[in-house]
């Protein structure tokens, strides 16, 4: 497998792990890859959403165990007040009949109630279950991050090792080519045998095969 194809596989793997478009960049440091993975990996994002849902469920269940406050207000505008007919003696008009309006033109009332459940087994059972789910989702997020980062780091180091091996092979090929040039001159002058020159050619072909 040549250097180009191996890097293509690495790029495809990164795209698969990230499940998104990767930025155009020729080289990545390990910190770059890990940071990009933690920020963009679809598996990690999904687990974090589930963790958030678990937190909201716990929050909702917890609210049912808290004191419940209910407030209400009422405003009445009495356009027509009821009229009461009374003897004039009550209003300072002896011998006459008087009328009195009963009530207020405006009436406002406010009510406030507070309810606190002393003990509801179903609420506390639900709260315990919600907390357990929340903790489970948090562990899943941690586990998902560790697994995804582990896969990326392993492949990153494999590619790094492969690159170093390629550099060593290329250097050996360059040295072999120089030796072939020298041995060709020595063979022509009779300083070495044909088999020595052929041995260098075989080494060159092996190196080229490994780099192909």
């Amino acid at each position: 497998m040549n250097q180009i194809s191996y890097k293509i596989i690495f790029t495809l793997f990164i795209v698969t792990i990230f499940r998104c478009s990767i930025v155009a960049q020729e080289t990545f440091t390990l910190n770059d890859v890990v940071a990009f993975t933690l920020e963009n990996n679809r598996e990690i994002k999904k687990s974090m959403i589930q963790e958030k849902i678990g937190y909201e469920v716990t929050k909702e269940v917890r609210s049912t165990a808290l004191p419940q406050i209910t407030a209400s207000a009422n405003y009445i505008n009495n356009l027509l007040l009821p009229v009461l007919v009374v003897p004039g003696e009550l209003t300072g008009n002896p011998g006459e009949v008087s009328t009195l309006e009963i009530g207020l033109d405006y009436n406002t009332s406010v009510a406030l109630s507070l309810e606190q459940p002393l003990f509801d087994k179903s609420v506390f059972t639900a709260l315990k279950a919600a907390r357990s789910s929340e903790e489970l989702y948090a562990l899943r997020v941690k586990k998902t991050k560790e697994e995804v980062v582990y896969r990326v780091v392993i492949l990153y180091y494999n590619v790094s090792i492969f690159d170093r091996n390629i550099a060593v092979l290329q250097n050996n090929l360059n040295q072999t080519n120089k030796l072939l040039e020298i041995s060709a001159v020595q063979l022509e002058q009779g300083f070495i045998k044909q088999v020595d020159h052929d041995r260098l050619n075989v080494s060159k072909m092996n190196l080229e095969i490994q780099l192909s």
Side-chain angles (χ1 to χ4, degrees):
M1 184 182 295
N2 59 29
Q3 185 178 17
I4 295 178
S5 61
Y6 201 97
K7 286 189 175 181
I8 288 175
I9 290 178
F10 176 66
T11 302
L12 290 176
F13 179 82
I14 293 298
V15 173
T16 301
I17 292 296
F18 293 162
R19 303 290 175 83
C20 63
S21 299
I22 195 167
V23 294
Q25 185 174 335
E26 292 184 359
T27 59
F28 296 90
T29 66
L30 180 58
N31 288 337
D32 290 337
V33 174
V34 171
F36 196 84
T37 300
L38 292 174
E39 183 178 355
N40 297 279
N41 179 260
R42 191 173 182 178
E43 295 176 40
I44 294 176
K45 286 183 176 181
K46 183 179 178 180
S47 64
M48 292 179 69
I49 290 174
Q50 292 175 337
E51 180 187 27
K52 185 176 181 180
I53 292 175
Y55 171 77
E56 292 299 330
V57 170
T58 304
K59 184 178 178 181
E60 181 178 352
V61 173
R62 186 183 293 114
S63 66
T64 61
L66 298 176
Q68 305 296 315
I69 300 176
T70 304
S72 62
N74 189 28
Y75 173 77
I76 299 176
N77 183 2
N78 296 310
L79 298 178
L80 295 175
L81 295 175
V83 177
L84 180 65
V85 178
V86 297
E89 285 74 10
L90 297 178
T91 60
N93 299 308
E96 298 181 4
V97 177
S98 301
T99 60
L100 294 176
E101 291 184 344
I102 302 174
L104 301 174
D105 293 333
Y106 304 98
N107 187 21
T108 302
S109 61
V110 177
L112 185 66
S113 63
L114 175 66
E115 296 181 2
Q116 169 66 61
L118 297 179
F119 180 78
D120 189 336
K121 185 176 180 180
S122 63
V123 172
F124 288 99
T125 300
L127 182 59
K128 183 177 179 180
R131 285 174 178 171
S132 298
S133 297
E134 186 179 355
E135 292 174 358
L136 177 61
Y137 287 131
L139 289 175
R140 284 182 179 176
V141 170
K142 182 180 178 181
K143 185 173 181 291
T144 301
K145 287 182 178 180
E146 290 176 350
E147 290 178 348
V148 172
V149 170
Y150 176 79
R151 296 201 301 268
V152 172
V153 170
I154 291 298
L155 186 59
Y156 181 89
Y157 277 117
N158 286 340
V159 171
S160 299
I161 292 171
F162 184 83
D163 282 344
R164 286 196 292 270
N165 290 339
I166 289 295
V168 171
L169 290 173
Q170 186 62 55
N171 182 68
N172 290 341
L173 179 60
N174 294 338
Q175 295 297 325
T176 302
N177 285 332
K178 292 179 181 180
L179 290 175
L180 274 171
E181 293 176 1
I182 296 173
S183 68
V185 174
Q186 291 176 336
L187 178 63
E188 184 178 349
Q189 295 177 353
F191 291 113
I192 64 172
K193 297 179 181 180
Q194 182 66 44
V195 65
D196 297 324
H197 184 73
D198 292 342
R199 198 175 287 120
L200 284 174
N201 266 321
V202 171
S203 297
K204 175 185 177 181
M205 287 187 292
N206 287 335
L207 290 170
E208 289 175 340
I209 290 173
Q210 293 181 64
L211 286 169
S212 63

